[in-house]
Amino acid sequence: CEEAVGEHHGERVVDLAVSRDGARLVTIAPDRRIRIFDLPHMHETACVADHENLTSMSLSADGKSLLVNLSALSAETRPEIQLWDLDEKVVVRKFYGHKQGRYVIRSCFGGARDSLVVCGSEDSQVYIWNRATGALLRTLQGHAGTINAVAWCPTNPRLFASASDDNTVRLWGCPAQDSSPAATNAGPRSR
């Protein structure tokens, strides 16, 4: 790689993702905007304004959905994760329960057919929700500091990792005898 083949000049970007098919680039910025570009031309196809502090995002495997983490700006607000339909440009679900105020916390899709949403938290726990309903399925303990990042294994729907300010990375998984998505609710374990 020796030269830029496209660029966009504008606001500072705090996170970005490219769809697996290479057709879409999504960015979030401190100006509370989500921007969608077609690739490789960097033509902006949509700009959606949000109302909160956008800190991180995660694009689904099919490139049609986006998780956006929003931190709590005050004691009167609570952090949330928004699930966006990028084709319709609307929030279709919100996930609550985790703690995020001071740090960037990352979430991701996971499980069989990306049926789950997982996120770290400032309370040292991992949170797992049902993507379709928004129901909190499980909180996992095991870290001793803020959990900043999570990543689901793309080849094993029963395995994901979490990284924490306690200087550890933990692997979490379901018992091998049960491969259903509900197994995440029944008993993930740390390795």
Side-chain angles (χ1 to χ4, degrees):
C1 298
E2 294 181 15
E3 67 179 90
V5 295
E7 60 185 306
H8 170 75
H9 294 279
E11 72 291 332
R12 177 177 166 257
V13 170
V14 296
D15 206 354
L16 60 85
V18 176
S19 61
R20 287 189 185 178
D21 65 3
R24 180 180 274 172
L25 169 75
V26 183
T27 67
I28 61 171
D31 67 357
R32 300 178 179 164
R33 296 188 187 277
I34 300 168
R35 288 185 165 78
I36 305 169
F37 301 87
D38 72 346
L39 292 179
H41 307 292
M42 289 295 294
H43 172 71
E44 186 173 312
T45 59
C47 180
V48 182
D50 206 324
H51 63 283
E52 294 291 335
N53 187 23
L54 311 176
T55 62
S56 66
M57 62 176 216
S58 178
L59 194 58
S60 63
D62 64 8
K64 295 181 179 183
S65 298
L66 184 73
L67 292 173
V68 179
N69 282 53
L70 292 81
S71 66
L73 296 175
S74 69
E76 291 79 38
T77 62
R78 62 182 178 166
E80 65 184 46
I81 301 168
Q82 297 178 346
L83 173 60
W84 283 81
D85 178 320
L86 291 179
D87 292 332
E88 298 297 322
K89 281 89 172 161
V90 296
V91 175
V92 295
R93 189 151 295 95
K94 294 181 180 182
F95 303 92
Y96 298 101
H98 68 295
K99 308 296 183 255
Q100 181 181 2
R102 293 181 51 194
Y103 303 108
V104 173
I105 305 290
R106 298 188 183 281
S107 57
C108 70
F109 296 97
R113 297 170 302 285
D114 279 351
S115 61
L116 302 172
V117 171
V118 65
C119 183
S121 179
E122 290 179 11
D123 65 1
S124 307
Q125 298 183 83
V126 174
Y127 288 74
I128 302 172
W129 295 270
N130 179 297
R131 177 181 175 176
T133 67
L136 179 62
L137 300 175
R138 180 94 174 176
T139 57
L140 304 175
Q141 298 178 357
H143 284 288
T146 295
I147 300 169
N148 308 101
V150 291
W152 214 285
C153 178
T155 60
N156 182 346
R158 297 183 329 250
L159 182 68
F160 71 93
S162 59
S164 171
D165 283 349
D166 67 6
N167 300 321
T168 63
V169 172
R170 290 189 173 264
L171 292 179
W172 304 87
C174 304
Q177 68 271 20
D178 187 353
S179 62
S180 68
T184 303
N185 189 27
R189 63 183 186 278
S190 173
R191 295 185 191 175

